[in-house]
Amino acid sequence: MLFMLQKLLKLLKAFNGNVAPGEIAHAFAWGAVLGFMPKDNLLWYILFVFVLFVRINKPSYLVMILIASGISPALDGLFDTIGYAFLTVPAFSNFFAALLEVPFAAFTKFNNTVVAGSFLAGIVLYIPLYFTGRLLVFLWRKYAASLIKNSKISKVINKIPLIEKIIEKAGEI
């Protein structure tokens, strides 16, 4: 619980701070790509670790994985259809057959229609998600942050002792 709270505080700090909007937007897009994919395959873990070495905002990345993971079950039917259409393309059948012969390639579950479909959908949606992330950061910094900070509700909430301690800890992060 405390770990997740720290990540959310870092995320808000990044949205309000001088973290480059591109770093947050890439984290938003990569988090969605991985959030859409099933988590029980080697491909997911390889991509997860790979993205940790890229310069992105890690709290945004982790939060977006959680959000997209919550949405993905509703989209599994669509991902299955996309994956089936891709995996049954006759031109790729020899490639997929050869890939199954490669040691450990089967652990990526690339031949699972939901894995393939969610990965392809995530890659196709990457650019729109990136620009959506940039837009959200812009809108937050330009309009929402000051409105929320100056609202009466925010001022009342900030006077609660527990919230004061959380804000104080956020300053230390």
Side-chain angles (χ1 to χ4, degrees), residues 17-143:
N18 61 354
V19 174
E23 288 183 25
I24 297 171
H26 280 298
F28 182 81
W30 268 116
V33 169
L34 287 175
F36 289 154
M37 290 178 61
K39 314 312 179 256
D40 64 343
N41 60 75
L42 186 61
L43 179 61
W44 190 89
Y45 290 103
I46 289 169
L47 290 173
F48 179 80
V49 171
F50 170 74
V51 174
L52 289 177
F53 290 104
V54 176
R55 186 177 179 143
I56 61 169
N57 184 266
K58 304 306 189 274
S60 301
Y61 174 58
L62 296 175
V63 168
M64 193 57 198
I65 288 174
L66 291 174
I67 291 169
S69 293
I71 296 169
S72 69
L75 300 173
D76 277 350
L78 175 66
F79 296 150
D80 181 54
T81 303
I82 293 169
Y84 182 79
F86 178 69
L87 291 172
T88 57
V89 172
F92 296 140
S93 62
N94 290 335
F95 172 72
F96 292 141
L99 201 55
L100 278 173
E101 299 299 322
V102 175
F104 299 107
F107 292 125
T108 64
K109 293 190 180 179
F110 73 89
N111 57 341
N112 181 315
T113 56
V114 176
V115 172
S118 61
F119 180 66
L120 285 172
I123 295 302
V124 168
L125 291 173
Y126 187 88
I127 299 296
L129 287 169
Y130 172 80
F131 285 112
T132 301
R134 283 195 75 113
L135 178 65
L136 289 174
V137 170
F138 170 77
L139 292 174
W140 176 266
R141 289 180 179 175
K142 182 90 172 170
Y143 303 107

Side-chain angles (χ1 to χ4, degrees), residues 1-34:
M1 175 70 177
L2 182 62
F3 173 75
M4 194 62 197
L5 187 59
Q6 286 177 332
K7 293 299 178 193
L8 285 172
L9 289 172
K10 283 185 176 183
L11 174 64
L12 287 175
K13 197 171 183 180
F15 268 92
N16 293 324
N18 61 354
V19 174
E23 288 183 25
I24 297 171
H26 280 298
F28 182 81
W30 268 116
V33 169
L34 287 175

